[in-house]
Amino acid sequence: MRIHTLQRLFLTGLLTLLPLWLTWVVIKFVFVLLTDVSKPFVAPLLEQVAASAPHTLGWVDDPWLQTALALLATLGVILLSGVMARRVFGQRMLRWMESLIERIPFASTIYGSARKLLDILQTKPDGTQRVVLVDFPHTEMKSIGFVTRVLKEHGSGRELAAVYVPTTPNPTSGYLEIVPVEKITPTDWSVDQAMAFIISGGAVSPESIPFSPPATAAPEAPTSR
C-alpha cells in the first residue's frame, strides 16, 4: 500500500509540475533568444562604463544587469520596428533593407523563405484549409501541420500539399512533408488554436477534432444504351 501511495503521489506531483515546466521551457527559450540578440552590444558598453569609474559604477558590469538590459534593448528594438513599420519612413527603410538583402545570394534565400512563410501563416488560404492533420507515423496516428503551398505532381497533375509539421513544445522546429491533398484531414482551427495545442502538448484544444480525411465521391459508372 505504501508503494502504491507513493506512486499516486508521484504521478499527482508530476502532473502538477508539468504545466509549470512547459511554461518555463517556452519562457526560457524566448528569454534567452531575446537576450542573446543584444548582449554582444550591451556587454562591452557596460564594461567600458564600469572601467571608467570602477568605484562608483563598477556594479553596472554585473551579469544580471547585462542580461536585463540586453533583454530590454531587444524588446525596445522590436517595439520600435513595429512603430516604424506603420510609418511611411519605416516602410521605405524596410524596402531598402530588403533590396539590400536580395543582393546577398545566401541571405536572400533565407530571408525570402522566412518572409513567405510568415506571410502565408498570417493570411487566409484559398481552397485548402491552413491547419490540417497528416498521417504520422501511420494512418491511425495524426500530426498537426500547416499547409504552406499546393503543388502539382509532374505528369499526373495530382494536387500535392507542402505541409510544415512543428514539434512540441517548441513549434519553431519541425519538418516538411509533401502529402497528397486527398490524404490530409482539414480542420476548422485557426493558426493560434493550433499553436496553443502544440505548445501545451494537447492540453489546450477544442472539444472535438476531425480525424479521417473527407470521403471523396466515387466516379459515376457509364450508363449503357
Side-chain angles (χ1 to χ4, degrees), residues 117-213:
L117 176 59
L118 292 177
D119 290 341
I120 287 173
L121 294 180
Q122 293 175 357
T123 57
K124 194 173 183 180
D126 295 329
T128 304
Q129 178 63 29
R130 180 74 67 217
V131 182
V132 298
L133 302 181
V134 293
D135 296 337
F136 182 81
H138 53 78
T139 55
E140 294 303 318
M141 298 180 67
K142 302 287 185 179
S143 292
I144 289 185
F146 302 100
V147 176
T148 57
R149 189 175 181 182
V150 176
L151 313 171
K152 296 288 187 179
E153 183 180 11
H154 181 71
S156 66
R158 181 173 61 162
E159 289 188 332
L160 305 172
V163 183
Y164 172 69
V165 181
T167 55
T168 300
N170 178 16
T172 59
S173 63
Y175 52 93
L176 179 67
E177 289 189 356
I178 299 178
V179 186
V181 170
E182 66 270 13
K183 296 294 184 180
I184 63 177
T185 303
T187 71
D188 57 355
W189 289 13
S190 65
V191 174
D192 292 340
Q193 288 177 316
M195 284 296 184
F197 184 82
I198 294 167
I199 293 175
S200 67
V204 180
S205 68
E207 294 296 329
S208 62
I209 184 174
F211 192 80
S212 302

Side-chain angles (χ1 to χ4, degrees), residues 40-118:
F41 305 98
V42 173
L45 179 61
L46 294 181
E47 291 174 359
Q48 292 180 2
V49 173
S52 63
H55 296 289
T56 57
L57 298 176
W59 57 273
V60 302
D61 195 22
D62 289 342
W64 70 268
L65 185 60
Q66 293 182 5
T67 301
L69 290 180
L71 176 62
L72 292 176
T74 303
L75 293 176
V77 171
I78 294 175
L79 293 175
L80 180 61
S81 300
V83 173
M84 294 292 290
R86 293 175 177 267
R87 302 290 189 273
V88 176
F89 174 76
Q91 294 175 358
R92 291 179 180 176
M93 182 178 293
L94 181 60
R95 286 194 293 267
W96 176 80
M97 292 180 61
E98 289 178 346
S99 63
L100 183 63
I101 293 176
E102 288 176 356
R103 300 177 184 178
I104 306 175
F106 186 65
S108 63
T109 303
I110 298 176
Y111 180 83
S113 301
R115 182 75 265 171
K116 289 179 180 178
L117 176 59
L118 292 177

